[in-house]
Amino acid sequence: MSRDGDYARKLLAGWEDVHKKGQLTLWILLALKDGPKHMAEIKAFIDRGTNGTMSVDDQSMYRALRRYYETELADFEAAPGNGPDRKVYRLSALGESLLREFVKRNIIDTLYKPAIRSLIERDSR
Amino acid sequence: MTRRLKLFALCAALWTGLWFLLLYRLLHNAQGPGPALVSCFVVFTVVLSSLERHFKARDDQRAVRYNLSLRYSLVAAAASILLSSGWALAWQRSLGFVLILGTASLLVVVAAALAGTRRRIKAYTKDELFQ
């Protein structure tokens, strides 16, 4: 049992690692859809939303937000704080429509289908 | 094109023209690429690269939907090809040969840039952008 349990955990960790690599964009855009946030708030949102299974380091988050800013998916404005100004990010109109279309095509129209959803939920509760 | 990219293209054109005019007499009497001429080409390239870095660092990728960084490289490559063609003309004195060589070089650079752009969204590959 213990050997199987260890092996199953190893398999799960490997699958989750690969799965998470493609999830960062979705979670960051979801965080911004929830409302404007600075980097720490986005990280906290992702941590809560994924029950702590996805952790993002500051450097990766900073680079991702810069990419989304340059590709017009997100905007930011500088908010004065105690130290240097913090960038508060928000979803742009383009980012919002992209997220809506992505979620519809890849989540709602697939995983939310009654047959698929009941299959996923079977024995999972 | 952004305003800074246009300015860089103008500066590159002026720099290339100025450098060629300054060296024209020297080139005309030269029999081939000696160490002094190679050094001149290095100086030309270093200044052109510095200009490219200066304008690119202050430009805004967000303002356009193409690979801005690549456009800067294209302008710099075109300036280098033009200068090299001018130098080759001073030695070879065969306009047809230099025109064909210069045009072929430009076409190769543009084709490589187009091939690189096709798989990118602005300056990013799909994997970089949506990881």
Side-chain angles (χ1 to χ4, degrees):
Chain A
M1 173 64 191
S2 173
R3 272 188 65 195
D4 276 356
D6 286 348
Y7 184 58
R9 270 192 294 278
K10 197 173 173 181
L11 285 172
L12 181 63
W15 188 3
E16 280 185 349
D17 279 350
V18 173
H19 176 71
K20 278 185 276 185
K21 280 180 186 163
Q23 297 283 306
L24 185 60
T25 303
L26 176 65
W27 279 102
I28 291 178
L29 296 190
L30 275 177
L32 298 181
K33 186 183 180 184
D34 184 54
K37 288 177 178 56
H38 58 75
M39 204 173 81
E41 288 173 330
I42 297 170
K43 284 179 70 177
F45 179 93
I46 294 174
D47 195 51
R48 280 196 311 275
T50 62
N51 299 323
T53 60
M54 180 187 271
S55 61
V56 191
D57 61 89
D58 285 358
Q59 191 72 359
S60 302
M61 180 65 79
Y62 172 76
R63 285 184 187 147
L65 288 168
R66 192 174 135 191
R67 288 196 301 272
Y68 303 151
Y69 174 74
E70 286 191 347
T71 49
E72 306 164 64
L73 301 183
D75 294 319
F76 75 82
E77 52 198 36
N82 291 333
D85 285 357
R86 287 192 304 185
K87 287 177 178 173
V88 176
Y89 291 88
R90 61 185 166 78
L91 210 53
S92 68
L94 180 65
E96 203 165 332
S97 74
L98 180 75
L99 177 64
R100 192 183 314 120
E101 192 67 14
F102 180 88
V103 167
K104 183 181 180 306
R105 286 163 60 99
N106 297 282
I107 298 175
I108 294 174
D109 290 353
T110 55
L111 298 178
Y112 278 23
K113 272 184 192 168
I116 302 297
R117 189 173 175 173
S118 69
L119 193 61
I120 290 171
E121 288 178 345
R122 192 196 302 167
D123 303 329
S124 292
R125 292 192 166 173
Chain B
M1 281 173 94
T2 62
R3 196 177 62 86
R4 281 197 170 85
L5 181 56
K6 283 178 189 164
L7 264 174
F8 171 62
L10 182 68
C11 288
L14 287 174
W15 175 239
T16 307
L18 179 73
W19 202 241
F20 182 73
L21 283 177
L22 285 173
L23 291 172
Y24 185 75
R25 187 175 294 272
L26 178 63
L27 286 166
H28 209 68
N29 297 326
Q31 296 302 312
L37 289 180
V38 173
S39 303
C40 289
F41 192 78
V42 170
V43 171
F44 168 81
T45 307
V46 166
V47 173
L48 189 67
S49 303
S50 303
L51 281 171
E52 182 186 351
R53 266 202 307 277
H54 171 83
F55 284 106
K56 194 161 65 176
R58 286 159 183 78
D59 214 340
D60 182 13
Q61 169 69 80
R62 192 181 161 89
V64 291
R65 289 188 170 166
Y66 49 75
N67 189 343
L68 189 59
S69 182
L70 187 70
R71 293 275 174 111
Y72 273 94
S73 302
L74 266 177
V75 171
S80 298
I81 289 170
L82 282 175
L83 189 74
S84 306
S85 300
W87 287 9
L89 188 61
W91 294 316
Q92 295 291 326
R93 297 184 180 94
S94 164
L95 186 62
F97 171 76
V98 172
L99 269 179
I100 289 170
L101 201 66
T103 308
S105 306
L106 272 175
L107 286 176
V108 167
V109 168
V110 170
L114 285 176
T117 300
R118 194 174 293 170
R119 293 175 181 207
R120 285 178 181 262
I121 299 170
K122 293 199 176 185
Y124 300 107
T125 63
K126 285 180 284 182
D127 288 339
E128 282 168 352
L129 183 57
F130 296 118
Q131 55 185 267

